[in-house]
Amino acid sequence: MSVAAAAGAARAPSRMDELVAAIKARRGLANLDDAFVRERAERVLRSDGRIRKKLDASRDFAQFSRSREHEALLKAVRKELRAVYGVFQQREREGLLEEYERTRDGALLDEIMRAHTSTRERLAHYPEICAQLASRIPAPKTLVDLGCGLNPLAYLHFKDAGWSPYVVASDISSADMAFLERCFAAAGIPGETHALDLTKDREALMALRGDVALLLKLLDSLEETRRHVSYDVLSAIAAPWIVVSFPTRSLGGGRRISTKGRSWFERLLRRLAFSWETFEVENEFFYVCRKEGASDGKAARARKGA
Ligand SMILES: C[S@@+](CC[C@H](N)C(=O)[O-])C[C@H]1O[C@@H](n2cnc3c(N)ncnc32)[C@H](O)[C@@H]1O
């Protein structure tokens, strides 16, 4: 078949394709994978028969897009996507990476990290966090960073604290993972990335083996998508040490979040028979967890129970 014929035979976009494109046409959502957005849209369509009916009855997507149901659908899906992803996207970072690739100016790496809310808020505290972790956990050969955002770019801080691991990084967006791989190449960070939805890709998660797994400020986002998913995620992780953190202030450093908000997590750790230690830096509370039965000297220091 000629190239022109092959192009002509390309599938016309379905209503769902057009819907996904419409949902993503909003600041902060463009990098999400279509499949991730589609799944959220399908969930709303399953739960709201009125919207589903209107979509099915419309002549084409253009007609549907003029309806109130279209507005309601976009609003509901974007609300969820914003809560678990969009809200963390601070600014355009492509230009910063291009400049970093040209100049290798380390200050630009910090600027790239400011493009994600979590790393922006943590930037001044990395030396303290890395020193705390290094004093409790033996230096890992492989560090698995789940729902990583731009945290793997803090590699040099970990190096200063005595950790130089191979980094296995994962988050939901393939485009973000491709961006992170380019950062790894430019900054000389040894590692690889995987686009993974932790609320459903259990097999893929189990394949990411390492000595330490980081789940920083992640579990609230996962629970937002699927309640009680944290148990499945924590039990599937193939690493003896698991570091979990929670924000102690609402996004942007506002309201103080009560410790009661984390009591569910401590109940979960008991259920999983993990031992743990805690420490806190400004705006973030850390659990350094150890799977029971794993053995090395430091484990004995980790207290069991609350
Ligand atoms: C608060 S941010 C924390 C980012 C990073 N761990 C840090 O602390 O710097 C939450 C991260 O979880 C990711 N995330 C949300 N839902 C996810 C899912 N279902 N699977 C994997 N990652 C997810 C988001 O894309 C976002 O990067």
Side-chain angles (χ1 to χ4, degrees), residues 128-141:
E128 189 185 349
I129 293 167
C130 295
Q132 285 275 8
L133 294 178
S135 73
R136 292 174 155 87
I137 307 175
K141 285 199 183 73

Side-chain angles (χ1 to χ4, degrees), residues 32 36 40 83-89 116-120 122 126 145-152 170-173 176-177 195-201 214-223 225 245 247 251 284:
L32 280 169
F36 187 80
R40 269 65 188 170
V84 301
Y85 178 83
V87 73
F88 308 118
Q89 313 307 317
H116 192 289
T117 311
S118 306
T119 28
R120 181 170 60 89
R122 193 182 295 121
Y126 272 112
D145 197 341
L146 300 173
C148 62
L150 293 170
N151 184 64
S170 103
D171 207 299
I172 35 180
S173 152
D176 288 352
M177 292 303 92
L196 212 76
D197 180 349
L198 291 167
T199 62
K200 62 187 192 68
D201 299 337
L214 302 180
L215 286 75
L216 304 186
K217 293 188 176 177
L218 170 69
L219 293 185
D220 290 332
S221 289
L222 299 188
E223 291 287 326
T225 304
S245 79
L251 221 55
E284 195 164 1

Side-chain angles (χ1 to χ4, degrees), residues 44-171:
V44 174
L45 285 169
R46 274 197 302 276
S47 70
D48 192 325
R50 190 179 48 99
I51 300 179
R52 168 93 262 172
K53 244 180 168 163
K54 186 74 180 182
L55 180 64
D56 290 345
S58 299
R59 193 174 52 250
D60 51 24
F61 186 75
Q63 188 186 44
F64 176 67
S65 71
R66 290 189 290 275
S67 68
R68 254 184 299 162
E69 287 79 2
H70 170 262
E71 273 312 296
L73 177 56
L74 255 60
K75 200 168 157 196
V77 181
R78 281 179 179 158
K79 187 172 171 213
E80 184 186 332
L81 296 177
R82 198 180 131 68
V84 301
Y85 178 83
V87 73
F88 308 118
Q89 313 307 317
Q90 287 284 332
R91 55 150 94 153
E92 168 52 37
R93 64 232 164 139
E94 183 63 31
L96 291 169
L97 176 55
E98 280 168 15
E99 203 181 332
Y100 179 67
E101 285 170 331
R102 258 198 327 276
T103 64
R104 298 293 196 273
D105 173 357
L108 287 164
L109 262 194
D110 283 357
E111 285 311 306
I112 294 172
M113 288 170 79
R114 284 182 206 281
H116 192 289
T117 311
S118 306
T119 28
R120 181 170 60 89
E121 289 180 349
R122 193 182 295 121
L123 210 46
H125 308 294
Y126 272 112
E128 189 185 349
I129 293 167
C130 295
Q132 285 275 8
L133 294 178
S135 73
R136 292 174 155 87
I137 307 175
K141 285 199 183 73
T142 304
L143 179 70
V144 179
D145 197 341
L146 300 173
C148 62
L150 293 170
N151 184 64
L153 301 183
Y155 190 80
L156 292 180
H157 294 288
F158 281 103
K159 210 168 171 185
D160 287 345
W163 284 12
S164 306
Y166 183 79
V167 180
V168 177
S170 103
D171 207 299

